Structures are given as C-alpha cells and as structure tokens.
Amino acid sequence: MDKFVLSVLVENKAGVLSRVSGLFSRRGYNIDSLTVCETSNPDQSRMTIVVKGDEYILDQIQKQLAKLVEVLSIKKCDKGSTCQREMALIKVKAEGTNRGTIIETCDIFRAHIVDVGIDSVVVEATGSEDKIESLIRLLEPFGILEYVKTGLTAMDRGSVVM
C-alpha cells in the first residue's frame, strides 16, 4: 500500500473535524496521521491527512471529501513539490555516562534538548518521517521512556498557494 498526503482546506467551524474523520470511519479508511490548524484566514483551517491505500482508494477519499459542504479545496501533496515535516518529543533515560552520547546523537540530527531532568532528557526533533524514525531507533538503546509525534504537515514549495 502506498502512503498519500492530502492537504484539505476547510471552513473553520465547530464539527468539521468530526464530519471529516467520520467520513473516513464510515468508509472503513484509516487515518495514519491528521494535523489541523487555523490558517492566516481565521475563517479557514488546513487539515493534513495521511492515508494508506492505492490510487482507487485515494480517488474515493477525494470524491467523498469534495461532497462535504465545508471542504473548500483538496490537494494531493507529492513529496517532490511539497515540504513535509513532523515534530517529535522524545523522553530518553539519560544517566550521567550516557548524556554526552545522547547529546552528540541529537546534534547529528539537529535535534534539541528541551528539558533536562536528573535521570532523563526530552529531545525535540523536526524533520521528515524517516529522520524522526532514525533518531528514535538510535535513542532506543538508551531507553526511551515515552515519545509523542505531531503527525505530518505539508506545504507547497515556491510561490504556489493552496
């Protein structure tokens, strides 16, 4: 199955997120990632939705979304023409002897230590899904206590506006 990223511009009204997510569940489609934020226009929000499937499923999802009155536009985000990023906070066990190595690993990934505790650190990392997953794999031997990811967000490169 392929992974598809959709950027959906919607009216910024109560219940729109529920209608969009309900559409997916009623059709039996799973949302891998969903990010929503108000745009520079306070009357609109942008949803970045990541789904797995084939071209037929993607076409069906786009057709169903287009039927919703609150949906203003839908765009499939291709990796080559969009910037795609996600952010993660990773809490890692950091005893005295491991701290230096954890910091060096974070530096390689341009990640930042945003909190230091007696026996742990919280790392903030931003980048592609692959970069985040690679960092998590490298930090696992130290003991990841917990982590949270924002989900993918995407924007067209250049002067193109949705």
Side-chain angles (χ1 to χ4, degrees):
M1 283 195 186
D2 294 323
K3 187 181 283 192
F4 297 101
V5 179
L6 294 174
S7 184
V8 183
L9 195 62
V10 298
E11 294 176 2
N12 188 13
K13 294 182 178 176
V16 174
L17 176 59
S18 176
R19 281 190 277 292
V20 169
S21 61
L23 179 148
F24 279 80
S25 66
R26 283 191 305 278
R27 304 289 184 289
Y29 302 133
N30 189 42
I31 296 173
D32 282 2
S33 170
L34 173 65
T35 354
V36 185
C37 186
E38 186 178 279
T39 66
S40 57
N41 176 350
D43 295 330
Q44 299 175 348
S45 290
R46 180 186 311 258
M47 296 182 170
T48 305
I49 305 170
V50 180
V51 295
K52 285 183 186 161
D54 55 24
E55 289 289 341
Y56 175 77
I57 288 173
L58 177 66
D59 186 53
Q60 291 301 306
I61 289 170
Q62 289 176 302
K63 285 178 182 176
Q64 295 298 319
L65 283 171
K67 289 180 182 180
L68 296 176
V69 175
E70 301 90 354
V71 173
L72 305 172
S73 66
I74 306 162
K75 182 177 186 316
K76 177 183 164 194
C77 299
D78 297 314
K79 264 195 172 176
S81 62
T82 57
C83 295
Q84 299 182 7
R85 297 286 184 270
E86 75 176 3
M87 194 267 290
L89 294 174
I90 309 159
K91 188 182 293 182
V92 184
K93 202 183 298 182
E95 297 155 355
T97 57
N98 293 338
R99 269 183 210 262
T101 309
I102 291 169
I103 292 168
E104 288 173 11
T105 303
C106 291
D107 287 344
I108 292 168
F109 284 85
R110 295 188 192 139
H112 306 282
I113 307 288
V114 293
D115 183 66
V116 178
I118 292 170
D119 56 359
S120 68
V121 295
V122 177
V123 177
E124 174 190 328
T126 305
S128 68
E129 291 176 288
D130 293 340
K131 176 183 171 182
I132 301 295
E133 289 302 319
S134 295
L135 177 59
I136 289 170
R137 276 195 306 276
L138 286 174
L139 292 174
E140 280 176 346
F142 301 106
I144 292 179
L145 301 171
E146 64 179 320
Y147 71 88
V148 62
K149 298 192 293 186
T150 61
L152 194 70
T153 189
M155 179 181 280
D156 283 319
R157 295 180 186 275
S159 58
V160 177
V161 179
M162 182 170 179

